Amino acid sequence: MTVSIRDLRPGDHSDAESVVRVRRAALPFMITTTEGVAFEVSSAHPAKHHRILVAETADGRVIGTAQVGIAYDSPEPGQSYVNAHVDPAHRGAGAGALLLRTAEEHLAAHGARDVYAWVLDEPAPRAFAERRGYRPSRSAHFLRLDLAAATLPELPQDLPAGVELRPGAAFAADPRPLFEADAETTSDEPGDVAAGFDDYEDWLAHTWNSPSLDKELTTVALVDGVVASFAAAQTDGGTRYASAMTGTLRAFRGRGLAKLAKTASLHRARAAGYTEAFTGNDAGNGPMLAINEWFGYEICATETRYTKKVETR
C-alpha cells in the first residue's frame, strides 16, 4: 500500500472529519470533534509551529494522523511533542513510521532537542516506539464511567457555609479567576515538560475559547466568593462528556470541594443527555484516582509517555 504524508487542509471540513474518524478509532476515550480540529489549527500560537499531519493512501483515504509542535511555553528550550495515531484497521502499512519521520524532521528544523509522545501501553505500540529510539517514562490512565447507568453521589441539600456552586459560564464577563485557578492547580500536576502558565491572553485563546470546553457543565466551587475549586468539562455535542481538569487551590484542599464540583457537573451532564463520561489521571496521582474510583470510574486504557533526543538542524 502506498502511503503519503501531508498537512491537514485548513478549512476543509471533510479533511477534519477524517482526522476525527482516525482519532476516535485509535483512541475512543478522547473527546474529538471537527470543530475542535479546526480550532486546533486556527488558534495555534505561532511559536508552537503546530501541524496536524495526515497519512493518506493512493486512493485518498486518510488512515493516520499526528499532532506535532514545540512546547513554546516551557521555560526549558527545545521541548516538543508528537502524538501519532493510525486507524487500527490499517496498521502495518507504514503510516506510523512515515508520520513519525515527518514530525521529527519538522521538530528538528525548529530547534527541538527532546520530543515527547504518548503511546498506548500495549506490546505493539510500545515496541514500535522503542524501535525508533524512544524510551518510556511515566504513565497515565484513561477512565470511563457509564453515566447513563451510574449511581452518582447525591449533592447535599445544604452546601457548607460560604460555599457556592456556579457554572463556568457565569465567568464569561471576566474569566481571569478561572485562569488563575487553572494556573495554580496545573503547576501541581505531574508532568515531563514544565510550562510557564502566566499568559492570560494565550489561555483565553486556546483554553477558554476552545469549542470543546462546555462552559455550562464546567462547575466552579467558590468559598466566600473566591474561586476555590473547579471541574472543567469537555463535550462532543452528542453523548460523550470528559473531565478536562479538576483542581482545588492549595488554600482550600482537604474540604471535599473537588468532589462537590465534579458531582454537580456529572449530574448536569446526565440531565443534558450525555451517557458516557471519561477522564484521565497520571498513574501516580493517587488522590485524584481515588476520587474517580469513588464516582465509579474504571480504568479502560493506559498510556506511557515516551521521550527521545533529536538532533537539531
Side-chain angles (χ1 to χ4, degrees):
M1 180 186 295
T2 302
V3 179
S4 59
I5 306 298
R6 62 171 173 81
D7 283 279
L8 175 82
R9 300 185 184 105
D12 187 330
H13 186 76
S14 64
D15 221 23
E17 284 182 333
S18 294
V19 169
V20 169
R21 176 181 52 76
V22 170
R23 288 182 181 177
R24 287 179 176 173
L27 275 184
F29 339 102
M30 298 287 287
I31 297 294
T32 181
T33 64
T34 54
E35 294 80 9
V37 169
F39 178 80
E40 184 182 328
V41 174
S42 64
S43 69
H45 192 288
K48 196 173 186 178
H49 298 291
H50 183 73
R51 295 171 70 184
I52 296 181
L53 303 174
V54 298
E56 188 176 53
T57 61
D59 61 0
R61 181 173 180 81
V62 173
I63 62 170
T65 182
Q67 298 161 291
V68 53
I70 300 294
Y72 67 96
D73 53 354
S74 173
E76 184 178 352
Q79 305 303 293
S80 65
Y81 60 88
V82 55
N83 293 304
H85 306 113
V86 176
D87 187 329
H90 295 277
R91 288 176 182 161
L98 285 172
L99 285 166
L100 202 57
R101 184 194 311 159
T102 305
E104 290 176 357
E105 289 173 353
H106 170 70
L107 295 173
H110 290 284
R113 295 187 304 194
D114 298 284
V115 58
Y116 290 87
W118 283 108
V119 177
L120 272 177
D121 197 359
E122 297 174 355
R126 290 181 66 111
F128 173 86
E130 290 166 10
R131 284 196 304 271
R132 286 156 180 82
Y134 286 78
R135 296 293 175 260
S137 57
R138 64 190 183 90
S139 294
H141 300 305
F142 290 108
L143 297 94
R144 178 186 178 275
L145 176 68
D146 183 346
L147 193 53
T151 302
L152 295 176
E154 293 296 328
L155 279 168
Q157 290 187 348
D158 297 309
L159 296 178
V163 175
E164 179 186 359
L165 294 177
R166 292 185 187 175
F171 294 82
D174 180 19
R176 184 176 284 275
L178 298 187
F179 162 73
E180 293 171 350
D182 196 9
E184 180 177 315
T185 55
T186 298
S187 69
D188 291 339
E189 284 280 290
D192 295 303
V193 181
F197 210 132
D198 56 4
D199 190 333
Y200 178 56
E201 295 301 323
D202 192 48
W203 179 85
L204 284 176
H206 303 111
T207 300
W208 183 252
N209 291 331
S210 169
S212 298
L213 180 67
D214 193 313
K215 298 181 180 69
E216 290 296 337
L217 297 184
T218 292
T219 303
V220 184
L222 294 89
V223 175
D224 297 327
V226 175
V227 171
S229 186
F230 65 94
Q234 293 181 331
T235 55
D236 67 356
T239 61
R240 296 156 63 85
Y241 160 105
S243 296
M245 174 67 174
T246 301
T248 302
L249 279 75
R250 300 178 196 111
F252 299 97
R253 290 173 187 169
R255 305 188 193 183
L257 296 172
K259 282 185 176 180
L260 187 64
K262 194 159 186 172
T263 298
S265 183
L266 285 168
H267 273 285
R268 290 192 292 116
R270 181 155 67 186
Y274 293 95
T275 58
E276 284 187 291
F278 295 90
T279 191
N281 289 130
D282 189 274
N285 191 348
M288 203 62 229
L289 281 168
I291 287 176
N292 285 321
E293 288 172 4
W294 180 76
F295 278 109
Y297 282 87
E298 296 180 347
I299 294 173
C300 57
T302 299
E303 282 188 318
T304 296
R305 186 85 146 173
Y306 274 73
T307 182
K308 176 182 179 180
K309 292 287 184 182
V310 294
E311 295 183 6
T312 58
R313 292 182 179 179

